[in-house]
């Protein structure tokens, strides 16, 4: 299992477009093979920051996701609309029952 976190900070002018593109990306990604979960949330402490949380079945599924042209276009759009750099972190883990 892979967990991916990411974030982007927008501006007052770009936030509506960032939200629209992010929601489209999340909905599209959820339909991809190997996507366990995919979501975007607004940071309550920094309202112009969006935070992504994803779970993928394995590296192959995540690599396929990154190779989708729409995912690449989304990343370029985020970079264009962001107030600064975006973040992306990938964590390996395993599912356990508590």
């Amino acid at each position: 299992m892979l967990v991916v976190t990411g974030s982007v900070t927008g501006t007052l002018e770009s936030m509506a477009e960032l939200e629209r593109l992010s929601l489209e990306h999340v909905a599209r990604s959820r339909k991809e093979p190997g996507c366990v979960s995919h979501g975007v949330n607004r940071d309550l402490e920094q309202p112009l920051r969006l935070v992504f949380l994803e779970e993928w079945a394995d590296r192959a599924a995540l690599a396929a996701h990154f190779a989708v042209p729409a995912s690449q276009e989304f990343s370029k759009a985020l970079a264009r609309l962001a107030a600064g750099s975006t973040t992306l972190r990938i964590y390996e883990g395993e599912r356990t029952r508590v």
Side-chain angles (χ1 to χ4, degrees):
M1 164 185 75
L2 295 176
V3 174
V4 179
T5 65
S7 68
V8 60
T9 301
T11 64
L12 288 174
E13 295 77 23
S14 69
M15 203 60 193
E17 182 68 359
L18 281 170
E19 289 175 352
R20 183 187 72 74
L21 291 171
S22 296
L23 289 171
E24 285 178 1
H25 177 71
V26 165
R28 182 175 54 250
S29 299
R30 287 177 180 164
K31 297 174 187 173
E32 292 179 29
C35 180
V36 178
S37 65
H38 201 299
V40 61
N41 301 279
R42 186 182 293 264
D43 185 329
L44 293 178
E45 294 178 310
Q46 299 177 43
L48 295 176
R49 182 173 179 251
L50 298 177
V51 178
F52 298 86
L53 182 59
E54 312 168 24
E55 184 180 338
W56 293 87
D58 52 38
R59 283 207 177 271
L62 183 58
H65 168 67
F66 288 148
V68 172
S71 292
Q72 295 170 6
E73 291 169 19
F74 174 68
S75 293
K76 289 177 188 174
L78 284 190
R80 188 179 71 251
L81 295 166
S85 60
T86 59
T87 67
L88 178 73
R89 292 186 177 90
I90 301 171
Y91 304 92
E92 288 193 55
E94 59 185 60
R95 223 176 247 277
T96 60
R97 293 182 187 230
V98 194

